[in-house]
Amino acid sequence: MSGIYIHIPFCKQACHYCDFHFSTSMKKKEEMVLAIAKEIKVRKSEFKNDPSKSEQGKQMVETIYFGGGTPSVLTSEEINFLIAAVYSNYSVIDNPEITLEANPDDLSEERIIELSKSKINRLSIGIQSFFEDDLQLMNRAHNSAEAQKCLEVATQYFDNISLDLIYGIPGMSNEKWKQNIETALSFGIPHISSYALTVEPKTALNKLIQTGKIAAPKDEVAQEHFAILVETLEANDFIHYELSNFGKENYFSKNNSAYWLGKKYMGIGPSAHSYDGVSRSWNISNNSLYLKSIQEDKLPNETEILSTADRYNEYIMTGLRTIWGVSLDRVKTEFGFVYLDYLNKQVQKFLNDELVLVKDNVLKTTKKGKFLTDGIASDLFILN
């Protein structure tokens, strides 16, 4: 098994663009931590046939990832308690990557020092922007000063740090976006994840746009920002290893790379997803029902057995988004000639437009096609 993802479903306040599962009420936080620890224990037998298990029969865990929500709302004691639950129920490799997603307002100097003394060895910090007006538009809980201060301190105690930046924000000029990137680079951060501002249906951002209070993001602006991002980071020795992720050598996210490479993982906590190679399961996205189920010794999840078409479509999507691309040999071996023939026919128009290329029998997007990756992938999908 590759890794364990732990979803912490709490946030201090709701960002306008976010549609992930979380609650702004902390009333059930302690109860939730205990329930998550119980789920970790209960599910240790799930991968009993996993060939990566140790001689003792426990599963080999390579990464532990605290996502959310905002995992940094947990105390250091609660984080350490959950890490200990993993270690006591699974066999963990030496020096696993253990990531904590954190917001700048939670990362005081005292807190950073506490975390540096724990098993957490990678921070993923939700900066999003270094400009006050952007942060207010997105309803972030931190301000620009906190964003820069936490990075000044965190880089003294952590070598492996990633930060998130959002582009395509209404009113953000190319020059302003360049300043955001340059500010991030000034801290010597080895990994940057960057996403276009996306308007999801049931979010505050969508309502603000519909009522005319905020302008809608423009695709052409996002595309310009993306081009600036790629050019600037690659000029600073970052490797563009996944559509939204850039890392210096030896600083790729091991947790996320495992997802893109199709490795098995377990998702713990409300709304968390798991994958075992043949099926995908997901926990209920409701804190109260999750807690009730765990207390009744029931796993609050649903499972879907993936069809050959499902697995092919996922491979196309994840492969095209990464530097590893889509192996035509793997498509033939794993899915058969019918799928390979279909892919070869569907991809021809993108080859003609120089949006993709085939090199060493591996299909990849070109620089010209990179921003259009998801759309290209969807055109290569096969219907069930």
Side-chain angles (χ1 to χ4, degrees):
M1 183 174 62
S2 171
I4 292 180
Y5 170 85
I6 301 173
H7 188 85
I8 306 302
F10 300 105
C11 289
K12 290 180 181 177
Q13 64 188 50
C15 297
H16 285 161
Y17 56 85
C18 184
D19 70 340
F20 292 156
H21 172 67
F22 65 90
S23 170
T24 54
S25 170
M26 303 289 171
K27 290 180 181 178
K28 297 180 179 179
K29 183 163 75 79
E30 291 181 12
E31 189 180 353
M32 181 64 69
V33 169
L34 292 174
I36 288 172
K38 184 175 180 180
E39 187 187 355
I40 290 171
K41 181 178 181 180
V42 168
R43 294 181 64 187
K44 66 181 179 180
S45 62
E46 277 189 22
F47 289 87
K48 59 186 177 182
N49 296 319
D50 189 340
S52 66
K53 67 184 179 181
S54 69
E55 292 178 1
Q56 291 76 29
K58 292 184 179 180
Q59 306 310 311
M60 297 298 292
V61 173
E62 299 169 11
T63 64
I64 303 170
Y65 192 100
F66 289 88
T70 310
S72 54
V73 300
L74 297 188
T75 65
S76 296
E77 290 76 16
E78 288 168 334
I79 292 168
N80 291 335
F81 172 71
L82 292 177
I83 293 174
V86 174
Y87 270 81
S88 64
N89 290 287
Y90 301 82
S91 183
V92 181
I93 65 168
D94 293 336
N95 302 314
E97 177 189 270
I98 305 182
T99 302
L100 177 76
E101 287 185 355
N103 278 354
D105 47 300
D106 293 324
L107 294 179
S108 64
E109 183 167 5
E110 180 182 6
R111 185 72 197 286
I112 290 169
I113 292 171
E114 276 183 9
L115 291 170
S116 72
K117 294 176 180 177
S118 72
K119 290 185 180 294
I120 298 291
N121 52 29
R122 184 174 184 270
L123 293 179
S124 178
I125 305 176
I127 300 293
Q128 314 310 357
S129 177
F130 290 100
F131 290 94
E132 209 64 56
D133 57 335
D134 294 337
L135 297 172
Q136 290 173 1
L137 181 148
M138 293 184 283
N139 200 40
R140 295 291 293 168
H142 70 277
N143 58 42
S144 179
E146 287 172 323
Q148 299 196 49
K149 179 62 178 177
C150 83
L151 290 175
E152 287 175 8
V153 178
T155 49
Q156 296 176 39
Y157 293 92
F158 285 87
D159 169 61
N160 198 352
I161 297 175
S162 176
L163 61 80
D164 289 354
L165 292 176
I166 291 179
Y167 58 86
I169 298 172
M172 178 183 278
S173 65
N174 288 352
E175 187 55 41
K176 188 178 180 183
W177 174 233
K178 288 177 185 176
Q179 288 180 45
N180 255 334
I181 301 169
E182 293 297 339
T183 302
L185 291 173
S186 71
F187 291 98
I189 302 297
H191 189 282
I192 292 175
S193 297
S194 191
Y195 310 89
L197 182 65
T198 304
V199 184
E200 301 294 347
K202 297 179 181 180
T203 59
L205 178 61
N206 185 51
K207 188 173 182 179
L208 289 167
I209 290 171
Q210 288 182 336
T211 56
K213 294 179 181 178
I214 294 177
K218 297 179 180 178
D219 288 343
E220 58 270 27
V221 172
Q223 189 162 0
E224 286 182 17
H225 288 180
F226 180 77
I228 291 168
L229 175 73
V230 173
E231 181 181 358
T232 305
L233 293 186
E234 287 185 344
N236 283 272
D237 300 322
F238 281 80
I239 300 167
H240 190 191
Y241 72 103
E242 194 272 341
L243 185 62
S244 302
N245 288 271
F246 304 77
K248 293 201 170 181
E249 194 168 351
N250 299 320
Y251 285 96
F252 295 1
S253 167
K254 294 178 182 177
N255 176 82
N256 293 346
S257 293
Y259 297 159
W260 302 320
L261 291 170
K263 294 186 178 181
K264 301 175 184 180
Y265 59 88
M266 181 184 292
I268 303 290
S271 80
H273 284 60
S274 303
Y275 174 69
D276 68 1
V278 294
S279 67
R280 193 172 299 284
S281 63
W282 55 94
N283 285 346
I284 192 167
S285 297
N286 181 298
N287 286 3
S288 296
L289 293 179
Y290 171 85
L291 289 170
K292 185 174 184 291
S293 293
I294 295 295
Q295 287 162 358
E296 294 174 351
D297 297 321
K298 299 175 184 176
L299 289 177
N301 61 19
E302 293 182 50
T303 300
E304 173 192 18
I305 303 299
L306 299 176
S307 67
T308 302
D310 290 332
R311 291 188 292 107
Y312 163 84
N313 291 344
E314 287 200 12
Y315 178 53
I316 295 296
M317 174 60 79
T318 54
L320 273 189
R321 288 181 63 100
T322 70
I323 58 170
W324 302 292
V326 173
S327 166
L328 300 184
D329 290 333
R330 178 177 168 184
V331 172
K332 180 177 68 175
T333 302
E334 194 167 324
F335 306 106
F337 281 106
V338 172
Y339 284 83
L340 181 61
D341 288 344
Y342 176 82
L343 175 59
N344 283 331
K345 289 174 184 175
Q346 290 295 107
V347 82
Q348 194 58 52
K349 58 187 175 183
F350 300 116
L351 287 167
N352 294 340
D353 292 338
E354 299 182 341
L355 297 176
V356 298
L357 58 81
V358 175
K359 184 178 180 181
D360 298 326
N361 227 26
V362 174
L363 175 68
K364 297 182 181 182
T365 53
T366 61
K367 190 171 184 178
K368 179 181 173 183
K370 186 66 73 176
F371 184 75
L372 305 172
T373 297
D374 289 349
I376 295 170
S378 66
D379 273 7
L380 303 181
F381 289 170
I382 196 165
L383 299 178
N384 283 297

